[in-house]
């Protein structure tokens, strides 16, 4: 699949799903708010099953697997139907597994050395994580300095909110922004679907305003 297709909307909802039964209503709530990309993190036992359920019942949403730490998780993610993978860091083993399974991967990079390593491994879309605690937009811009001409794109994630979203959207080398603020773990556990739809819609409004600038 073309990676650009699911990054076009420029937002990825990072979700921690404790109960598989919440996966489909969550995906539907995001869609109702106009968002069409969700990353289901492998931090809970039901992650793979949640991905499979979303693929089956809400095919309009792109679904990826996050927090991929091992090749085995990559395999589980692919078997469940994941359309992309995300890792908090850069692991050659995870990278090889993703390539063997043709899974587009966004490995986490925060230093120039990691960016160079990711480029050597063939990745062009890198998760900039943890974005806010690593210095946010200023650090990201410094990192883009020596790499902008390579065509590398970043997906800043970690501590970003609706308030800080515009400053990331304004950076041309930012392909998309990841975050959990529109569907925090507690909102999902509380089945706050209307609230999640509202937060997703607000995030999408901020994206559309940024596109008119
Ligand atoms: C992630 O794993 O990508 C982050 O935990 C998401 O970051 P956030 O919860 O601070 O948005």
């Amino acid at each position: 699949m073309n990676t650009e297709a699911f990054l076009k909307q420029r937002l990825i909802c990072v979700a921690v799903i404790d109960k598989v039964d919440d996966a489909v209503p969550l995906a539907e709530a995001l869609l109702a708010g106009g968002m069409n990309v969700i990353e289901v993190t492998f931090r809970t036992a039901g992650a793979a099953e949640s991905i499979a359920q979303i693929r089956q019942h809400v095919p309009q949403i792109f679904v990826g697997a996050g927090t991929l730490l091992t090749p085995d998780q990559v395999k589980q993610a692919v078997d469940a139907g994941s359309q992309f993978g995300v890792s908090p860091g850069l692991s050659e083993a995870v990278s090889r597994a993703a390539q063997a399974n043709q899974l587009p991967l966004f490995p986490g990079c925060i230093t120039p050395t990691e960016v160079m390593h990711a480029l050597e491994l063939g990745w062009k879309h890198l998760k900039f994580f943890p974005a806010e605690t690593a210095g946010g937009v200023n650090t990201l811009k410094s990192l883009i300095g020596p790499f902008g001409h390579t065509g590398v794109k970043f997906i800043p994630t970690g501590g970003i909110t609706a308030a800080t979203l515009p400053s990331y959207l304004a950076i041309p080398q930012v392909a998309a922004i990841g975050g959990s603020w529109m569907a925090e773990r507690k909102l999902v556990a509380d089945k706050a679907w209307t609230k999640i739809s509202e937060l997703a819609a607000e995030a999408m409004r901020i994206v559309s305003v940024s596109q008119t600038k």
Side-chain angles (χ1 to χ4, degrees):
M1 175 183 311
N2 174 6
T3 304
E4 313 294 335
F6 50 79
L7 294 178
K8 214 158 110 198
Q9 202 179 71
R10 301 197 76 201
L11 276 183
I12 298 175
C13 172
V14 180
V16 182
I17 303 176
D18 288 297
K19 294 201 179 99
V20 172
D21 285 352
D22 289 337
V24 166
L26 169 61
E28 286 170 340
L30 291 171
L31 262 188
M35 274 190 75
N36 73 354
V37 186
I38 183 169
E39 170 193 332
V40 178
T41 55
F42 267 65
R43 296 177 207 176
T44 57
E49 182 54 23
S50 295
I51 291 167
Q53 294 271 329
I54 294 171
R55 275 310 298 277
Q56 188 184 345
H57 299 289
V58 200
Q60 310 92 307
I61 200 159
F62 292 109
V63 58
T67 322
L68 294 175
L69 305 181
T70 66
D72 182 56
Q73 287 175 332
V74 172
K75 175 83 172 55
Q76 288 178 50
V78 169
D79 289 348
S82 301
Q83 292 159 297
F84 63 91
V86 185
S87 186
L90 180 67
S91 146
E92 285 201 22
V94 168
S95 176
R96 274 194 300 274
Q99 279 160 346
N101 286 282
Q102 277 128 39
L103 181 73
L105 181 74
F106 311 140
C109 295
I110 206 87
T111 66
T113 303
E114 289 161 354
V115 172
M116 287 173 70
H117 195 179
L119 291 174
E120 283 163 12
L121 293 171
W123 301 111
K124 285 275 182 193
H125 290 87
L126 313 180
K127 174 174 176 168
F128 176 68
F129 174 79
E132 284 289 289
T133 44
V137 163
N138 287 340
T139 302
L140 179 55
K141 284 184 177 162
S142 301
L143 198 55
I144 287 166
F147 297 110
H149 67 283
T150 64
V152 69
K153 300 272 188 210
F154 291 92
I155 303 172
T157 308
I160 301 174
T161 63
T164 50
L165 180 58
S167 57
Y168 287 96
L169 288 166
I171 302 174
Q173 291 83 1
V174 165
I177 290 98
S180 64
W181 79 89
M182 68 295 285
E184 281 175 6
R185 188 171 190 162
K186 183 160 184 336
L187 289 178
V188 177
D190 289 349
K191 304 187 193 303
W193 311 131
T194 306
K195 178 76 184 160
I196 289 171
S197 293
E198 285 167 7
L199 290 167
E202 182 200 19
M204 289 310 300
R205 263 195 307 277
I206 295 170
V207 172
S208 58
V209 167
S210 81
Q211 280 159 351
T212 61
K213 284 187 178 159

